[in-house]
Amino acid sequence: MAGGFRLSVVVLCFLTCGAAAGTARLYTEDDPLVLLGSGSLKRSVSSNSSSAWLVQFYSSWCGHCIQFSSTWKALAHDVQDWDTIIHIAVVDCAQDDNFDICKEYGVSFYPTFRYFGAHASPADLGKTYRGADRGVQTLRELMINFLQNHTRLGKPDHCPPLEPFNLGDLLPLLGQKSAHYTAIIIEHPTSYVGREVILDLSKYTGIVVRRALSIDTPLVDKLKITAFPSAYLLHPNGTHTHLHLYMQLRFFFTSFLRGLQGVQRRQTEDHSAPNPMGDLSEHHSTDPWREFDSSKVYMADLESALHYLLRVELATHNTLGGEELKKFKSVVTVIAKLYPGRASVQKVMENLLDWLVRLPLESIPYQAILDLVDDKMRISSLSLGAEVRWVGCQGSRPGLRGYPCSLWTLFHMLTVQYDASPKLLASTALEGDPAAVLNAMRGYIGTFFGCEQCGRHFEEMAAQSLDQVKTTEDAVIWLWSKHNQVNSRLAGSLSDDPVFPKSPWPSPALCPACHQEKEGVHTWNEEQVLAFLRQHYGAGNLSPRYLPEPQRHLPTPPLAPPQAPQKPQGAVQALQQQQPTPRATAVVLNGGGAQIRLHSGSGGWILGFTSVDMSLCLVLYVCSCLMLMLLFFFFKIRSRRWKLKNGRLHV
């Protein structure tokens, strides 16, 4: 009886796990690892591979494999910059197509870990790791041990020297000029920090990292090192100095060295993404370089983002209707209510929002929106620059950073402003929703953002976890976390600027307290991160430097000569076709205080009237009526008196 019960439990567990595996994959193409199978395993790890491989053979129905998947993904993220030297990969032995290859490699227990050196023979079945400790730090150190103990034939082509240097090797470098930086990590013999930093910088040019041991007394005395691990930096100009960092940890060493001037990431063709900048590249190519402070947020970037959003990306949509119009209204709402920049730009967005809310149409021609924004500037001297002027988001060459960077910055600002003042969205359709800004961003990126692949990736992230945002604080942290996730995925791609490489943000230089280490793995102090984000994206940290001058006297188009009434064209025609009562249209557009367009009886449009103008007209109209009435009664009374007087004289 007991045996039958146990068998039933085993069968039930198998079926449950099998069903779960069928509906959700443990690893996907979005993870920074390689998915191998029967057709690719042997070809990838054999003699044509210039790099080493660490492969996990797992089964998707294995409960332990499912639990371990998060650790394996964390390892892959942690060492993703080592992929030119050693790849992290997985093989699912539960898939029918992989039964034979797993059997050929002698895999009978899951998970099984195999290391393959570079240029391995097709008959090489790899070295098996059997240790009980399978934490990220232990596996990372295992990878380093494998790399150091490889044979000459099995050495990865791009693996830098990992052996320690001594005083004789390093002394000639002191005081010598060079074409690159040289960083020396001095550490205890049992430490792995130096080798980890060497591998972290293996994809970067402009710097060479070496390691030395604390037991090398002459070297330690020469450099006057007293704490370990420590970093000593040799500059290209021949000077050298001891680095004093906030914490002597791998992440702090790596981040500081990557941030040195002239240190750049080598670009690869992996994870390439389309450039959503469009024709903006040509304009940007003539821009002068603008010095900026990375601890500041620049209004010029925010206004350039709004210009590009309203005048470039929306231009691909002839009309906005249905869900598109609803999503656009949500974006305009959060910007109009939360934008912390110049008052003139705020007013433009507020007027646009008011116009959208009051316009009783199910679809709107894009040209009508563009005309509203541009005409409002011309008539009312409000300023929204008609050019891009990247500052903190400028790239080292055309097509890099720019609009995507500024769009992230804009929505970071909006989440922080909403967190500081949730009541700003009161009396809107978004009131009370802690994820209001994120949902507006989600709708915009999925519908309007030029990079379709980017939109799909963002939608996948939002679908997975956006429903977990319960407070405005959660919203601030969620967007920061997903931004770092995107940076991690695109690091080293063609869209990654080698001068400003994508890396975990904020860097230790900006927020040392945001970083910490647990069990040898870098982690974030989210309480400190939230405090940093509130300060960095707060209204008080906005810099007006490099803002274009307000456009206050833009020329007004000349009036067309009188002509016979004709059918209106373009956006106006579309509006008239959807609104059969011209004077009703005029009333609706007149009520918002935004720039309005009055429809005349002859079919033409009178541009440039505001609610103030109409109020004055109404006052003058009432006064004129009263004056006419007074004159009417005055002359009527005089007429009666004259008739009475003349009538008596006649009698």
Side-chain angles (χ1 to χ4, degrees):
M1 182 72 177
F5 175 76
R6 285 196 296 268
L7 179 60
S8 300
V9 171
V10 171
V11 172
L12 180 61
C13 179
F14 178 84
L15 293 175
T16 304
C17 293
T23 57
R25 299 166 58 191
L26 291 186
Y27 304 98
T28 69
E29 290 79 2
D30 290 335
D31 297 319
L33 44 76
V34 183
L35 306 179
L36 298 177
S38 59
S40 57
L41 174 60
K42 189 171 293 187
R43 183 178 66 252
S44 298
V45 303
S46 63
S47 56
N48 63 346
S49 174
S50 61
S51 60
W53 290 79
L54 182 61
V55 182
Q56 178 200 169
F57 294 83
Y58 75 100
S59 176
S60 53
W61 55 258
C62 166
H64 180 67
C65 296
I66 296 173
Q67 296 296 325
F68 182 73
S69 62
S70 59
T71 300
W72 195 251
K73 290 178 184 179
L75 173 67
H77 278 285
D78 188 63
V79 300
Q80 62 182 327
D81 280 331
W82 303 7
D83 61 0
T84 56
I85 301 165
I86 182 169
H87 287 289
I88 302 292
V90 292
V91 178
D92 185 2
C93 294
Q95 292 185 5
D96 294 349
D97 294 342
N98 296 334
F99 285 167
D100 292 339
I101 195 68
C102 291
K103 181 179 179 180
E104 181 180 345
Y105 276 79
V107 177
S108 54
F109 298 99
Y110 310 111
T112 293
F113 305 95
R114 296 281 177 85
Y115 172 80
F116 299 85
H119 312 291
S121 68
D124 187 356
L125 300 182
K127 297 178 181 179
T128 303
Y129 170 66
R130 304 183 186 278
D133 187 352
R134 296 174 178 179
V136 173
Q137 182 176 3
T138 300
L139 292 173
R140 189 174 65 229
E141 294 173 358
L142 171 71
M143 295 167 65
I144 293 174
N145 291 338
F146 277 134
L147 290 173
Q148 278 200 278
N149 296 329
H150 56 62
T151 63
R152 179 175 299 180
L153 178 63
K155 177 183 178 181
D157 294 354
H158 302 290
C159 186
L162 299 177
E163 297 74 19
F165 279 43
N166 55 38
L167 179 61
D169 299 320
L170 299 175
L171 187 59
L173 302 178
L174 298 178
Q176 297 296 318
K177 292 185 178 181
S178 173
H180 55 74
Y181 291 93
T182 300
I184 307 168
I185 308 294
I186 304 97
E187 58 186 347
H188 292 302
T190 58
S191 172
Y192 283 82
V193 172
R195 285 166 285 185
E196 291 168 347
V197 175
I198 291 173
L199 294 171
D200 286 344
L201 273 296
S202 61
K203 280 188 173 182
Y204 287 74
T205 62
I207 188 167
V208 173
V209 184
R210 298 288 183 258
R211 60 183 287 255
L213 301 180
S214 58
I215 57 177
D216 189 349
T217 306
L219 176 64
V220 172
D221 293 341
K222 176 70 176 179
L223 301 181
K224 299 180 180 179
I225 304 298
T226 58
F228 306 98
S230 289
Y232 205 85
L233 186 63
L234 311 183
H235 294 260
N237 62 5
T239 61
H240 47 90
T241 182
H242 181 208
L243 297 183
H244 298 281
L245 303 180
Y246 180 77
M247 298 179 73
Q248 305 298 313
L249 300 174
R250 166 200 172 193
F251 185 84
F252 283 78
F253 290 131
T254 297
S255 297
F256 178 85
L257 296 177
R258 285 178 177 176
L260 292 172
Q261 185 176 4
V263 175
Q264 299 183 10
R265 182 195 293 270
R266 295 187 186 92
Q267 286 192 323
T268 66
E269 296 187 2
D270 296 337
H271 314 296
S272 59
N275 171 27
M277 298 287 289
D279 296 333
L280 195 59
S281 301
E282 285 298 319
H283 175 81
H284 185 199
S285 62
T286 61
D287 280 356
W289 181 258
R290 302 180 180 94
E291 296 296 332
F292 68 94
D293 181 356
S294 59
S295 66
K296 291 288 185 181
V297 176
Y298 290 85
M299 289 187 193
D301 288 324
L302 302 181
E303 293 192 13
S304 296
L306 291 178
H307 156 70
Y308 197 85
L309 185 157
L310 291 172
R311 297 194 179 98
V312 180
E313 285 212 306
L314 283 179
T316 61
H317 299 255
N318 293 327
T319 60
L320 300 180
E323 283 298 312
E324 282 189 353
L325 181 57
K326 182 179 178 181
K327 292 174 181 178
F328 179 65
K329 286 181 179 179
S330 295
V331 171
V332 174
T333 299
V334 297
I335 296 175
K337 298 297 184 181
L338 303 173
Y339 184 74
R342 289 195 286 186
S344 57
V345 178
Q346 291 176 355
K347 192 64 177 177
V348 170
M349 299 307 299
E350 289 172 0
N351 290 336
L352 175 59
L353 173 62
D354 195 69
W355 184 76
L356 289 172
V357 170
R358 293 174 181 270
L359 191 64
L361 300 178
E362 295 183 356
S363 65
I364 301 175
Y366 161 73
Q367 190 60 41
I369 297 173
L370 181 61
D371 289 346
L372 179 73
V373 174
D374 289 340
D375 290 344
K376 186 64 182 177
M377 286 197 304
R378 179 171 60 248
I379 302 302
S380 302
S381 298
L382 297 181
S383 175
L384 174 59
E387 62 173 331
V388 292
R389 186 170 295 195
W390 313 123
V391 183
C393 285
Q394 62 190 322
S396 61
R397 65 172 184 266
L400 298 180
R401 306 185 78 217
Y403 178 59
C405 165
S406 67
L407 195 64
W408 279 108
T409 303
L410 174 63
F411 281 102
H412 278 300
M413 294 289 299
L414 298 179
T415 57
V416 169
Q417 299 309 308
Y418 187 38
D419 176 53
S421 304
K423 293 183 179 179
L424 290 176
L425 290 184
S427 302
T428 71
L430 307 178
E431 182 179 4
D433 180 8
V437 176
L438 301 180
N439 284 321
M441 182 181 183
R442 178 183 185 179
Y444 177 81
I445 291 179
T447 305
F448 302 104
F449 192 56
C451 174
E452 185 177 2
Q453 183 181 3
C454 305
R456 286 199 301 268
H457 280 295
F458 192 88
E459 175 58 31
E460 289 171 2
M461 294 190 300
Q464 290 174 359
S465 59
L466 190 54
D467 59 348
Q468 299 173 10
V469 173
K470 304 301 182 184
T471 66
T472 55
E473 292 181 354
D474 292 344
V476 175
I477 291 295
W478 188 93
L479 188 59
W480 158 79
S481 174
K482 298 311 173 186
H483 194 171
N484 267 339
Q485 185 175 330
V486 172
N487 282 346
S488 176
R489 180 173 57 84
L490 296 179
S493 68
L494 291 177
S495 63
D496 192 7
D497 194 323
V499 178
F500 305 100
K502 298 184 186 300
S503 58
W505 190 90
S507 67
L510 284 177
C511 182
C514 294
H515 303 270
Q516 56 190 16
E517 195 170 278
K518 292 183 179 179
E519 299 180 356
V521 180
H522 171 265
T523 60
W524 294 97
N525 184 331
E526 290 195 0
E527 183 178 347
Q528 293 293 332
V529 169
L530 179 60
F532 169 81
L533 295 173
R534 285 170 167 168
Q535 182 277 326
H536 186 77
Y537 291 113
N541 198 41
L542 274 174
S543 172
R545 190 180 179 194
Y546 298 115
L547 274 176
E549 291 297 324
Q551 302 177 13
R552 298 195 177 279
H553 300 289
L554 298 178
T556 302
L559 294 175
Q563 54 184 345
Q566 57 183 352
K567 293 183 179 180
Q569 301 296 323
V572 174
Q573 182 178 9
L575 278 173
Q576 287 183 323
Q577 290 172 351
Q578 298 176 66
Q579 183 61 279
T581 308
R583 296 198 181 276
T585 303
V587 172
V588 171
L589 295 179
N590 185 29
Q595 179 180 336
I596 62 174
R597 294 172 173 267
L598 291 178
H599 186 275
S600 69
S602 62
W605 288 82
I606 305 172
L607 303 179
F609 289 98
T610 67
S611 59
V612 176
D613 301 327
M614 297 305 298
S615 299
L616 291 175
C617 289
L618 182 61
V619 170
L620 291 174
Y621 176 76
V622 172
C623 291
S624 300
C625 291
L626 291 175
M627 183 61 68
L628 290 173
M629 290 175 64
L630 290 174
L631 290 174
F632 172 77
F633 286 115
F634 174 75
F635 284 109
K636 189 172 183 178
I637 294 172
R638 284 179 60 94
S639 176
R640 286 181 178 178
R641 288 181 177 178
W642 183 81
K643 287 181 180 180
L644 290 173
K645 181 179 179 182
N646 290 340
R648 292 192 192 99
L649 291 174
H650 178 72
V651 173

